Amino acid sequence: MSARDRIRDFLLKNVGKVVTTRQIQKVAQISEYARRIRELRDEEGLEIKSHIDRSDLKPGEYILESSKPRTTLGKRISPQLRTEILERNGFTCQQCGAGPGDPDPFNPNRKVRLHIDHVVPVSQGGTDDKDNLRVLCSACNQGKSNIQTVSEPALNILARIRKLPRSARREVLEALKKSLDSD
Ligand SMILES: [Zn+2]
């Protein structure tokens, strides 16, 4: 049973009751429970609310409002759509500009992974339409974005450069270095 399964089970046993992060952490047996909660909410459509959604909840408190997931949402993005979005965004994180295989800024031993993110979260009515989807790296996706944001023109260029063969990317790098050195 995965951490996500354990959290789902626990929440379903406590529908309508306030549960705490501590309880969830204990059930999940992992520290990254927040991401699992987000998945349950965004991918499975479970109505998990926090203090952000409800003023009667304190930080660190959650409530599953209904045992029934929202029916209209919660379906996963198909592999085809995922590929389409990745290609459209040039395999480039739309927040920090990271590409696949770049080192994870929070864990240099690991590489970032690219995720498909909903610009307007599913929990707030966001859809799986292409214009509501974008690529985010694992670091930005976890909301750890004290990472420097890259401007839109730079992102577009980065995305195009990533599609070039290695030799051409090196040429771009050399040309950029030259132009920056002469500034
Ligand atoms: Zn990023």
Side-chain angles (χ1 to χ4, degrees):
M1 218 183 182
S2 70
R4 180 155 148 184
D5 294 334
R6 289 194 297 271
I7 297 174
R8 188 192 309 101
D9 267 21
F10 175 72
L11 289 171
L12 284 169
K13 276 181 202 145
N14 290 281
V15 174
K17 287 186 212 155
V18 175
V19 298
T20 64
T21 23
R22 239 183 134 163
Q23 289 173 297
I24 293 172
Q25 225 166 340
K26 211 173 145 197
V27 171
Q29 295 158 30
I30 51 162
S31 54
E32 277 192 61
Y33 64 89
R35 191 144 123 237
R36 299 287 99 83
I37 289 180
R38 198 157 59 219
E39 288 169 0
L40 287 168
R41 196 190 267 153
D42 293 351
E43 293 175 17
E44 299 188 18
L46 287 184
E47 306 264 24
I48 305 166
K49 300 293 158 74
S50 72
H51 71 285
I52 295 164
D53 313 294
R54 282 175 47 160
S55 56
D56 58 328
L57 296 175
K58 293 199 262 309
E61 291 183 343
Y62 292 94
I63 190 164
L64 175 62
E65 290 182 332
S66 164
S67 58
K68 274 207 221 137
R70 290 186 310 277
T71 46
T72 46
L73 298 161
K75 68 174 183 318
R76 282 160 184 259
I77 293 157
S78 70
Q80 291 91 324
L81 183 55
R82 185 184 146 80
T83 306
E84 198 180 325
I85 303 301
L86 279 167
E87 276 172 2
R88 188 193 67 194
N89 286 163
F91 294 85
T92 297
C93 173
Q94 297 299 292
Q95 198 155 290
C96 74
D102 284 3
D104 184 333
F106 298 97
N107 189 346
N109 298 324
R110 282 172 60 176
K111 292 177 171 179
V112 295
R113 281 165 296 126
L114 296 179
H115 295 272
I116 306 300
D117 175 62
H118 289 85
V119 179
V120 177
V122 174
S123 58
Q124 288 166 36
T127 66
D128 290 347
D129 286 348
K130 283 169 202 165
D131 53 5
N132 192 42
L133 297 174
R134 63 173 175 177
V135 172
L136 281 190
C137 73
S138 38
C140 290
N141 192 44
Q142 285 166 49
K144 296 169 172 174
S145 40
N146 45 353
I147 307 165
Q148 208 186 340
T149 305
V150 175
S151 68
E152 189 140 359
L155 276 177
N156 289 336
I157 297 290
L158 264 175
R160 288 172 65 180
I161 291 172
R162 286 221 165 88
K163 290 177 185 164
L164 298 172
R166 194 183 170 84
S167 59
R169 279 183 284 150
R170 185 155 292 282
E171 284 168 16
V172 172
L173 174 67
E174 295 306 327
L176 272 178
K177 271 194 204 155
K178 256 188 234 161
S179 80
L180 287 171
D181 285 348
S182 64
D183 276 352

